[in-house]
Amino acid sequence: MVKVRDLGLGFNSDEIVLFKYCSGSCHRARSNYDLTLGTLLRQQLITPGPQERILSHPCCRPTRYEAVSFMDVENTWQTVEKLSAAECSCIG
């Protein structure tokens, strides 16, 4: 449960909404790509640039989203599409 104004989307509202998110590890879903990339990174045969972050495992991410509706401080209903996670899966 989070305040709408804390979402960082610029809405001025005192309402509290349910923000669902994905978390967890995906190590069981590792592909040959993930295993190979992990090995090459450990052996330093691939080195990320100064602004890069290379992940050698799949990420738990939303695969389906829900819209969230709330009333702002001017008593106007607002709906934000694709805000809250409705379904999660290992991506990558």
Side-chain angles (χ1 to χ4, degrees):
M1 302 299 283
V2 295
K3 287 183 181 180
V4 170
R5 70 183 54 192
D6 293 337
L7 294 174
L9 299 175
F11 292 102
N12 190 11
S13 175
D14 295 321
E15 286 208 36
I16 295 175
V17 295
L18 177 61
F19 176 77
K20 295 184 267 183
Y21 60 93
C22 301
S23 67
S25 64
C26 295
H27 294 287
R28 288 188 206 161
R30 284 187 167 188
S31 67
N32 288 330
Y33 169 84
D34 301 315
L35 296 171
T36 299
L37 181 59
T39 299
L40 294 173
L41 287 168
R42 278 191 303 281
Q43 294 175 355
Q44 296 181 343
L45 296 172
I46 295 175
T47 55
Q51 301 298 320
E52 289 182 312
R53 182 173 175 233
I54 299 174
L55 297 176
S56 62
H57 57 84
C59 301
C60 186
R61 298 281 300 164
T63 54
R64 196 168 58 82
Y65 297 88
E66 294 176 343
V68 173
S69 296
F70 56 89
M71 190 171 288
D72 64 19
V73 294
E74 298 188 20
N75 294 325
T76 302
W77 280 102
Q78 303 286 342
T79 299
V80 180
E81 299 293 331
K82 295 184 178 182
L83 176 64
S84 191
E87 194 171 290
C88 301
S89 186
C90 292
I91 306 293

